[in-house]
Amino acid sequence: MSEIESKVVIITGASSGIGEATARRLGASRAKLMLAARREDKLKDLVAAIQKTGGTVAYRVTDVANRAQVQALADATLETYGRIDVLVNNAALISGSPLDQIKVDEWDQMIDVNLKGVLYGIAAVLPTMCQQKSGHVINLSSIGGHKVVPGGAVYCATKYAVRAISEGLRLESNGEIRSTIISPGAVATEGLRRLESNGEIPSTDISPGEVATELTSTITDGDTASSVNQFYSVAIDTDAIARAIAYAIEQPADVDVNEIIIRPTRQEF
């Protein structure tokens, strides 16, 4: 039996991109899924697709920047499946501009989703995992959590912080809770889940060569958008990240895959 089979896995940001790819892959491996995102229509479509292939899956509409909603997500998972084995903290948004543009509202949004959303997820599942004396938290950082780029200082700061939180969780877990950081480079559809105050930007089916054009529509500074456009021209598919997540989960309980950086072969940094 696969180490993934029958594990209860919560995935945030599951309605598109890396979250959707991960849900499909883990569903095919017979994990028991609880999917979370803000777009209910996308979640319903994904649930139907996974159920059609025999997967076990439920969903809950969740804004990860809202602590009460994240706690309700964990509570619903316990009510549905009786335990929580894995949390994939995937929901994130990206925006960028030089600091002297003073786009404080954008800074606040990234901090609320990318950083506080991760902490809210950990807070919601940690008591259950401690009681079980087992669990696995997988946090999505970024190559931006390893290297700061012009126009990306705040985004990179949130992703550096995710790495720090993940390592702190590992050190404090007494060997009972596994902690994994996945740091993607340029990935197709990355950034299309950028949350607006009125909901998420709809995802689209695009090729890696087209992804940067879509991504730049969410970045309000022209110079930063141009740089990101070039960066994403070599983007790899979301399933590459889903495979890395599955790899971390499927290891035996005494093996903790702490950190994976995964990026296109042609990506320079």
Side-chain angles (χ1 to χ4, degrees), residues 103-218:
K103 298 196 175 186
V104 178
D105 289 343
E106 293 182 2
W107 301 349
D108 285 342
Q109 286 184 328
M110 283 188 286
I111 291 167
D112 285 346
V113 175
N114 299 1
L115 181 51
K116 293 170 71 174
V118 167
L119 286 168
Y120 291 162
I122 292 171
V125 303
L126 200 54
T128 296
M129 291 182 176
C130 288
Q131 184 177 20
Q132 295 170 173
K133 297 187 180 301
S134 69
H136 192 175
V137 175
I138 300 176
N139 292 326
L140 272 289
S141 180
S142 167
I143 199 68
H146 297 260
K147 179 180 176 63
V148 179
V149 296
V154 178
Y155 172 74
C156 293
T158 65
K159 292 304 187 176
Y160 269 87
V162 167
R163 291 180 60 218
I165 291 164
S166 301
E167 177 63 1
L169 178 62
R170 184 189 72 83
L171 292 170
E172 296 173 5
S173 69
N174 297 317
E176 295 178 346
I177 298 169
R178 299 193 293 179
S179 174
T180 299
I181 310 159
I182 306 288
S183 295
V187 178
T189 76
E190 186 70 11
L192 297 181
R193 299 183 311 279
R194 180 177 184 269
L195 305 181
E196 303 282 8
S197 59
N198 61 345
E200 292 179 331
I201 291 176
S203 65
T204 54
D205 293 324
I206 53 181
S207 69
E210 295 171 326
V211 67
T213 302
E214 296 288 338
L215 178 62
T216 54
S217 68
T218 72

Side-chain angles (χ1 to χ4, degrees), residues 73-89:
L73 169 66
D75 293 344
T77 305
L78 278 175
E79 183 177 350
T80 302
Y81 297 120
R83 61 183 294 113
I84 299 171
D85 295 305
V86 183
L87 167 66
V88 181
N89 262 324

Side-chain angles (χ1 to χ4, degrees), residues 243-266:
R243 293 194 301 271
I245 292 170
Y247 170 77
I249 294 173
E250 69 188 2
Q251 300 308 304
D254 63 341
V255 177
D256 188 358
V257 177
N258 298 135
E259 186 160 10
I260 300 175
I261 300 174
I262 180 167
R263 54 191 160 192
T265 305
R266 293 190 293 155

